[in-house]
Amino acid sequence: MKQGRTLQEVGAELTRQRKKRKDFLADTQNLEMETTDGISKLAVLLGNTEKRYTVGPIAHQQIASRLQIPYRYYQKMQQKFSMLLDESVNGWFRQTPERRMVRVLDGNVRAFLSDRYRRLDHLELCSAVLPVIQDMKGAEIVSCDVTDAHLYLKVINRKLKEEVAVGDVVQAGFVISNSEIGMGSLRVEPLLFRLACKNGLIIKDYAQKKYHVGRQINEQTNDAYELYSDETLAQDDKAFFMKVQDIVRSAVDEAKFQLSVRKLQETRQIPLTHNPVEAVELLADTFQLTQNERGDILRQLFLGKDNSRYGLINAITAASQLSVSYERATELERIGGELLAYPVPQMALSMPITMPSMRNVTPKRPSVTLVK
């Protein structure tokens, strides 16, 4: 499992962000984009005052999506014909006016969201769940980080463990993740932690989500105005976080853990249907892996000397530790969980586990027929 920051470092960063962030509710008629040398700035008109902020990459994607501008074309305009981009965006802002939430951090627009977006922020989430985790016997936060898009808390329970094979022990755990900028729901997902290599596997089944959808703010004004963090302490948000606390308390369920371990045990009996190189290529095409990720997974598969689905899952989760990005490392842990959720062939359960040598495995070459 990839290590991010310490919990203390995450707390310090969240506190810093709380002081530096600004949120606005604005009619798009009070917004204007201006792009110079590929860098866009968004002007927000607040009464007689104009504030300008640099537009971040995620906000660009959200603006393009909302205005139904294909993003590759949007990027082309941004880099090569910035005047056309500004005319397109500002024209649609005025042609189809609507209220949007604009989230700003460190002088950059980080999100362009619906006026119904519910600000379930990281600091409030941590305040709600950390005491619950602290009260759980055997629970420990083994990895955490805050990225541009998400907060992650990865927890294991030292008391709940099981063997996948003799001496191959996994422990139960869960991952809490949240986005403040519309990049997904608040999630609590089961996690299996393999002690032999300290790999984390995020289980697709039994995950629970809470969506960032709230009431529309019924402010009868077209003027843009700033939203303050005190609003996140409203009674309905307190009730919401109480539900999240209940989800966290039940996140480590012994019966569900045993079912997940059973699935993992079954994967040991499922041989790869292709040679390792082809198996990784197929995986890469399915999950859009980069060339470096393909190489890392294939290398880990060879090192593990396990030519089964279990070996491939372990190769993926081991490769996740090599990812430069904590965000991407977590996605690879989820891809391992996707593979675990694949159907089990009926014949595989009755087959003995065989581990063919992988030393001399080479990709199959297409046959060539000579035509005279």
Side-chain angles (χ1 to χ4, degrees), residues 105-147:
L105 178 65
D106 295 329
N108 298 303
V109 178
R110 57 176 180 154
F112 181 78
L113 303 164
S114 163
D115 64 347
R116 292 189 62 196
Y117 185 79
R118 190 176 200 168
R119 296 181 299 162
L120 304 173
D121 288 348
H122 302 331
L123 206 54
E124 283 73 30
L125 174 61
C126 287
S127 297
V129 302
L130 289 180
V132 175
I133 295 170
Q134 190 174 18
D135 289 342
M136 296 172 70
K137 292 182 179 180
E140 177 186 347
I141 297 174
V142 292
S143 179
C144 59
D145 206 351
V146 55
T147 69

Short mmCIF file of all heavy atoms in Angstrom, two decimals, residues 105-147:
data_model
loop_
_atom_site.label_atom_id
_atom_site.label_comp_id
_atom_site.label_asym_id
_atom_site.label_seq_id
_atom_site.Cartn_x
_atom_site.Cartn_y
_atom_site.Cartn_z
N LEU A 105 -9.40 27.75 -4.29
CA LEU A 105 -8.39 27.46 -3.27
C LEU A 105 -7.05 27.99 -3.76
O LEU A 105 -6.65 27.74 -4.90
CB LEU A 105 -8.28 25.95 -3.03
CG LEU A 105 -7.22 25.50 -2.01
CD1 LEU A 105 -7.56 26.01 -0.61
CD2 LEU A 105 -7.07 23.99 -2.00
N ASP A 106 -6.38 28.73 -2.90
CA ASP A 106 -5.07 29.32 -3.22
C ASP A 106 -5.10 30.12 -4.51
O ASP A 106 -4.16 30.08 -5.32
CB ASP A 106 -4.01 28.20 -3.32
CG ASP A 106 -3.77 27.50 -2.00
OD1 ASP A 106 -3.91 28.15 -0.95
OD2 ASP A 106 -3.45 26.29 -2.02
N GLY A 107 -6.18 30.85 -4.74
CA GLY A 107 -6.29 31.70 -5.91
C GLY A 107 -6.63 30.99 -7.20
O GLY A 107 -6.61 31.59 -8.27
N ASN A 108 -6.96 29.69 -7.11
CA ASN A 108 -7.29 28.90 -8.30
C ASN A 108 -8.71 28.36 -8.21
O ASN A 108 -9.12 27.86 -7.15
CB ASN A 108 -6.33 27.72 -8.45
CG ASN A 108 -4.90 28.17 -8.63
OD1 ASN A 108 -4.60 28.92 -9.55
ND2 ASN A 108 -4.02 27.73 -7.75
N VAL A 109 -9.46 28.45 -9.31
CA VAL A 109 -10.78 27.83 -9.37
C VAL A 109 -10.56 26.33 -9.45
O VAL A 109 -10.00 25.82 -10.41
CB VAL A 109 -11.58 28.31 -10.60
CG1 VAL A 109 -12.94 27.61 -10.65
CG2 VAL A 109 -11.78 29.82 -10.56
N ARG A 110 -10.99 25.61 -8.42
CA ARG A 110 -10.77 24.17 -8.40
C ARG A 110 -12.00 23.39 -8.80
O ARG A 110 -11.92 22.19 -9.09
CB ARG A 110 -10.30 23.72 -7.02
CG ARG A 110 -11.22 24.08 -5.87
CD ARG A 110 -10.70 23.50 -4.57
NE ARG A 110 -11.54 23.83 -3.43
CZ ARG A 110 -11.63 23.10 -2.33
NH1 ARG A 110 -10.94 21.98 -2.24
NH2 ARG A 110 -12.40 23.47 -1.35
N ALA A 111 -13.19 24.05 -8.81
CA ALA A 111 -14.41 23.32 -9.17
C ALA A 111 -15.48 24.30 -9.65
O ALA A 111 -15.58 25.43 -9.18
CB ALA A 111 -14.93 22.51 -7.99
N PHE A 112 -16.29 23.82 -10.61
CA PHE A 112 -17.41 24.57 -11.18
C PHE A 112 -18.61 23.63 -11.09
O PHE A 112 -18.75 22.69 -11.86
CB PHE A 112 -17.08 24.92 -12.64
CG PHE A 112 -18.13 25.72 -13.36
CD1 PHE A 112 -18.27 27.08 -13.13
CD2 PHE A 112 -18.97 25.12 -14.28
CE1 PHE A 112 -19.22 27.82 -13.82
CE2 PHE A 112 -19.92 25.85 -14.97
CZ PHE A 112 -20.05 27.21 -14.73
N LEU A 113 -19.49 23.86 -10.09
CA LEU A 113 -20.47 22.85 -9.68
C LEU A 113 -21.90 23.39 -9.67
O LEU A 113 -22.13 24.60 -9.80
CB LEU A 113 -20.11 22.36 -8.27
CG LEU A 113 -18.71 21.78 -8.10
CD1 LEU A 113 -18.34 21.70 -6.63
CD2 LEU A 113 -18.61 20.41 -8.76
N SER A 114 -22.83 22.47 -9.47
CA SER A 114 -24.25 22.82 -9.36
C SER A 114 -24.50 23.64 -8.09
O SER A 114 -23.79 23.48 -7.08
CB SER A 114 -25.09 21.55 -9.33
OG SER A 114 -26.39 21.80 -8.86
N ASP A 115 -25.54 24.47 -8.12
CA ASP A 115 -25.90 25.21 -6.90
C ASP A 115 -26.57 24.30 -5.87
O ASP A 115 -26.86 24.73 -4.76
CB ASP A 115 -26.79 26.41 -7.23
CG ASP A 115 -28.14 26.01 -7.82
OD1 ASP A 115 -28.32 24.84 -8.21
OD2 ASP A 115 -29.04 26.88 -7.90
N ARG A 116 -26.76 23.02 -6.22
CA ARG A 116 -27.28 22.04 -5.26
C ARG A 116 -26.16 21.19 -4.66
O ARG A 116 -26.42 20.29 -3.88
CB ARG A 116 -28.30 21.11 -5.95
CG ARG A 116 -29.59 21.81 -6.37
CD ARG A 116 -30.61 20.79 -6.84
NE ARG A 116 -30.95 19.87 -5.77
CZ ARG A 116 -31.58 18.69 -5.95
NH1 ARG A 116 -31.88 18.30 -7.18
NH2 ARG A 116 -31.87 17.93 -4.93
N TYR A 117 -24.94 21.48 -5.06
CA TYR A 117 -23.82 20.68 -4.55
C TYR A 117 -23.68 20.87 -3.05
O TYR A 117 -23.65 21.99 -2.54
CB TYR A 117 -22.52 21.10 -5.24
CG TYR A 117 -21.34 20.25 -4.85
CD1 TYR A 117 -21.16 18.99 -5.42
CD2 TYR A 117 -20.42 20.69 -3.91
CE1 TYR A 117 -20.09 18.19 -5.06
CE2 TYR A 117 -19.33 19.90 -3.55
CZ TYR A 117 -19.18 18.66 -4.14
OH TYR A 117 -18.11 17.86 -3.78
N ARG A 118 -23.61 19.76 -2.35
CA ARG A 118 -23.53 19.80 -0.89
C ARG A 118 -22.06 19.73 -0.47
O ARG A 118 -21.35 18.77 -0.79
CB ARG A 118 -24.28 18.59 -0.33
CG ARG A 118 -24.50 18.62 1.17
CD ARG A 118 -25.34 17.42 1.56
NE ARG A 118 -25.98 17.60 2.85
CZ ARG A 118 -26.94 16.81 3.32
NH1 ARG A 118 -27.38 15.82 2.56
NH2 ARG A 118 -27.47 17.02 4.49
N ARG A 119 -21.62 20.75 0.23
CA ARG A 119 -20.21 20.84 0.61
C ARG A 119 -19.93 19.98 1.85
O ARG A 119 -19.99 20.44 2.98
CB ARG A 119 -19.83 22.30 0.87
CG ARG A 119 -19.94 23.18 -0.37
CD ARG A 119 -19.54 24.60 -0.07
NE ARG A 119 -20.42 25.19 0.95
CZ ARG A 119 -20.11 26.28 1.66
NH1 ARG A 119 -18.95 26.87 1.48
NH2 ARG A 119 -20.96 26.77 2.54
N LEU A 120 -19.65 18.71 1.57
CA LEU A 120 -19.28 17.78 2.64
C LEU A 120 -17.75 17.76 2.67
O LEU A 120 -17.10 16.94 2.01
CB LEU A 120 -19.84 16.39 2.36
CG LEU A 120 -21.36 16.36 2.17
CD1 LEU A 120 -21.81 14.97 1.73
CD2 LEU A 120 -22.07 16.76 3.46
N ASP A 121 -17.17 18.67 3.42
CA ASP A 121 -15.75 18.91 3.32
C ASP A 121 -14.92 17.99 4.20
O ASP A 121 -15.40 17.40 5.17
CB ASP A 121 -15.44 20.37 3.63
CG ASP A 121 -15.90 21.29 2.50
OD1 ASP A 121 -16.24 20.78 1.42
OD2 ASP A 121 -15.92 22.52 2.71
N HIS A 122 -13.63 17.87 3.82
CA HIS A 122 -12.74 16.92 4.46
C HIS A 122 -12.61 17.16 5.96
O HIS A 122 -12.56 16.19 6.74
CB HIS A 122 -11.34 17.01 3.83
CG HIS A 122 -11.30 16.78 2.36
ND1 HIS A 122 -12.20 15.96 1.71
CD2 HIS A 122 -10.45 17.24 1.40
CE1 HIS A 122 -11.90 15.93 0.42
NE2 HIS A 122 -10.85 16.69 0.21
N LEU A 123 -12.53 18.41 6.36
CA LEU A 123 -12.31 18.72 7.77
C LEU A 123 -13.48 18.23 8.63
O LEU A 123 -13.28 17.64 9.70
CB LEU A 123 -12.10 20.22 7.95
CG LEU A 123 -11.27 20.68 9.15
CD1 LEU A 123 -9.91 20.01 9.17
CD2 LEU A 123 -11.11 22.20 9.13
N GLU A 124 -14.71 18.48 8.17
CA GLU A 124 -15.88 18.00 8.89
C GLU A 124 -15.95 16.47 8.89
O GLU A 124 -16.35 15.85 9.89
CB GLU A 124 -17.17 18.58 8.29
CG GLU A 124 -17.46 20.02 8.66
CD GLU A 124 -16.55 21.02 7.97
OE1 GLU A 124 -16.10 20.74 6.84
OE2 GLU A 124 -16.28 22.09 8.55
N LEU A 125 -15.57 15.87 7.76
CA LEU A 125 -15.57 14.41 7.67
C LEU A 125 -14.59 13.82 8.69
O LEU A 125 -14.93 12.87 9.41
CB LEU A 125 -15.20 13.97 6.25
CG LEU A 125 -15.02 12.46 6.04
CD1 LEU A 125 -16.30 11.71 6.34
CD2 LEU A 125 -14.53 12.16 4.63
N CYS A 126 -13.39 14.36 8.74
CA CYS A 126 -12.40 13.86 9.72
C CYS A 126 -12.89 14.05 11.15
O CYS A 126 -12.71 13.15 11.99
CB CYS A 126 -11.07 14.59 9.52
SG CYS A 126 -10.18 14.07 8.03
N SER A 127 -13.50 15.18 11.42
CA SER A 127 -14.02 15.42 12.77
C SER A 127 -15.07 14.39 13.15
O SER A 127 -15.21 14.02 14.32
CB SER A 127 -14.63 16.83 12.85
OG SER A 127 -13.64 17.81 12.63
N ALA A 128 -15.81 13.90 12.14
CA ALA A 128 -16.88 12.93 12.40
C ALA A 128 -16.35 11.51 12.54
O ALA A 128 -16.79 10.76 13.41
CB ALA A 128 -17.92 12.99 11.28
N VAL A 129 -15.38 11.12 11.70
CA VAL A 129 -15.00 9.70 11.64
C VAL A 129 -13.78 9.34 12.48
O VAL A 129 -13.66 8.18 12.92
CB VAL A 129 -14.78 9.24 10.18
CG1 VAL A 129 -16.02 9.47 9.34
CG2 VAL A 129 -13.57 9.91 9.56
N LEU A 130 -12.88 10.28 12.72
CA LEU A 130 -11.67 9.92 13.48
C LEU A 130 -11.98 9.43 14.89
O LEU A 130 -11.37 8.45 15.35
CB LEU A 130 -10.69 11.10 13.50
CG LEU A 130 -10.00 11.40 12.15
CD1 LEU A 130 -9.04 12.58 12.29
CD2 LEU A 130 -9.26 10.18 11.61
N PRO A 131 -12.91 10.06 15.63
CA PRO A 131 -13.25 9.51 16.95
C PRO A 131 -13.83 8.10 16.87
O PRO A 131 -13.58 7.27 17.76
CB PRO A 131 -14.29 10.51 17.48
CG PRO A 131 -14.01 11.78 16.75
CD PRO A 131 -13.60 11.35 15.39
N VAL A 132 -14.58 7.81 15.81
CA VAL A 132 -15.16 6.47 15.63
C VAL A 132 -14.05 5.45 15.40
O VAL A 132 -14.04 4.37 16.00
CB VAL A 132 -16.16 6.46 14.46
CG1 VAL A 132 -16.67 5.04 14.21
CG2 VAL A 132 -17.32 7.40 14.74
N ILE A 133 -13.09 5.80 14.54
CA ILE A 133 -11.97 4.90 14.26
C ILE A 133 -11.15 4.68 15.53
O ILE A 133 -10.71 3.56 15.82
CB ILE A 133 -11.09 5.48 13.13
CG1 ILE A 133 -11.88 5.53 11.81
CG2 ILE A 133 -9.82 4.65 12.95
CD1 ILE A 133 -11.19 6.30 10.70
N GLN A 134 -10.95 5.74 16.29
CA GLN A 134 -10.17 5.64 17.53
C GLN A 134 -10.82 4.70 18.53
O GLN A 134 -10.13 4.00 19.29
CB GLN A 134 -10.01 7.04 18.14
CG GLN A 134 -9.02 7.10 19.29
CD GLN A 134 -8.80 8.52 19.76
OE1 GLN A 134 -9.59 9.42 19.48
NE2 GLN A 134 -7.71 8.73 20.48
N ASP A 135 -12.15 4.64 18.53
CA ASP A 135 -12.88 3.78 19.46
C ASP A 135 -12.96 2.33 19.01
O ASP A 135 -13.36 1.46 19.79
CB ASP A 135 -14.30 4.32 19.68
CG ASP A 135 -14.31 5.61 20.50
OD1 ASP A 135 -13.30 5.89 21.17
OD2 ASP A 135 -15.33 6.34 20.45
N MET A 136 -12.60 2.05 17.75
CA MET A 136 -12.68 0.69 17.22
C MET A 136 -11.47 -0.12 17.71
O MET A 136 -10.33 0.28 17.48
CB MET A 136 -12.73 0.70 15.69
CG MET A 136 -13.98 1.38 15.12
SD MET A 136 -13.91 1.59 13.32
CE MET A 136 -14.06 -0.10 12.77
N LYS A 137 -11.71 -1.21 18.37
CA LYS A 137 -10.62 -2.03 18.90
C LYS A 137 -9.81 -2.64 17.76
O LYS A 137 -10.36 -3.27 16.86
CB LYS A 137 -11.18 -3.14 19.80
CG LYS A 137 -11.80 -2.61 21.08
CD LYS A 137 -12.30 -3.75 21.96
CE LYS A 137 -12.89 -3.21 23.25
NZ LYS A 137 -13.40 -4.29 24.13
N GLY A 138 -8.50 -2.43 17.82
CA GLY A 138 -7.61 -3.01 16.80
C GLY A 138 -7.50 -2.19 15.54
O GLY A 138 -6.75 -2.56 14.64
N ALA A 139 -8.23 -1.08 15.43
CA ALA A 139 -8.22 -0.27 14.20
C ALA A 139 -7.00 0.64 14.16
O ALA A 139 -6.58 1.19 15.18
CB ALA A 139 -9.50 0.55 14.09
N GLU A 140 -6.46 0.81 12.96
CA GLU A 140 -5.28 1.67 12.79
C GLU A 140 -5.32 2.27 11.38
O GLU A 140 -5.56 1.57 10.40
CB GLU A 140 -4.01 0.85 12.98
CG GLU A 140 -2.73 1.63 12.76
CD GLU A 140 -1.50 0.75 12.81
OE1 GLU A 140 -1.61 -0.41 13.26
OE2 GLU A 140 -0.42 1.22 12.39
N ILE A 141 -5.07 3.57 11.29
CA ILE A 141 -4.94 4.22 9.99
C ILE A 141 -3.53 3.93 9.48
O ILE A 141 -2.54 4.41 10.04
CB ILE A 141 -5.19 5.73 10.08
CG1 ILE A 141 -6.63 6.00 10.54
CG2 ILE A 141 -4.94 6.41 8.73
CD1 ILE A 141 -6.95 7.45 10.80
N VAL A 142 -3.42 3.13 8.42
CA VAL A 142 -2.11 2.72 7.93
C VAL A 142 -1.62 3.58 6.77
O VAL A 142 -0.44 3.54 6.43
CB VAL A 142 -2.12 1.23 7.50
CG1 VAL A 142 -2.30 0.33 8.70
CG2 VAL A 142 -3.20 0.96 6.46
N SER A 143 -2.52 4.35 6.16
CA SER A 143 -2.13 5.22 5.06
C SER A 143 -3.19 6.29 4.89
O SER A 143 -4.39 6.02 5.05
CB SER A 143 -1.97 4.42 3.76
OG SER A 143 -1.62 5.25 2.69
N CYS A 144 -2.77 7.52 4.57
CA CYS A 144 -3.73 8.59 4.32
C CYS A 144 -3.06 9.67 3.49
O CYS A 144 -1.84 9.79 3.47
CB CYS A 144 -4.28 9.16 5.63
SG CYS A 144 -3.04 9.84 6.75
N ASP A 145 -3.87 10.43 2.81
CA ASP A 145 -3.35 11.56 2.02
C ASP A 145 -4.51 12.44 1.59
O ASP A 145 -5.67 12.01 1.58
CB ASP A 145 -2.60 11.07 0.79
CG ASP A 145 -1.54 12.07 0.31
OD1 ASP A 145 -1.51 13.20 0.83
OD2 ASP A 145 -0.74 11.71 -0.57
N VAL A 146 -4.18 13.69 1.25
CA VAL A 146 -5.14 14.58 0.63
C VAL A 146 -4.52 15.05 -0.68
O VAL A 146 -3.39 15.55 -0.72
CB VAL A 146 -5.51 15.78 1.54
CG1 VAL A 146 -4.28 16.55 2.00
CG2 VAL A 146 -6.49 16.71 0.85
N THR A 147 -5.21 14.77 -1.80
CA THR A 147 -4.75 15.13 -3.13
C THR A 147 -5.57 16.31 -3.63
O THR A 147 -6.43 16.83 -2.93
CB THR A 147 -4.89 13.95 -4.09
OG1 THR A 147 -6.30 13.70 -4.33
CG2 THR A 147 -4.27 12.68 -3.51
#
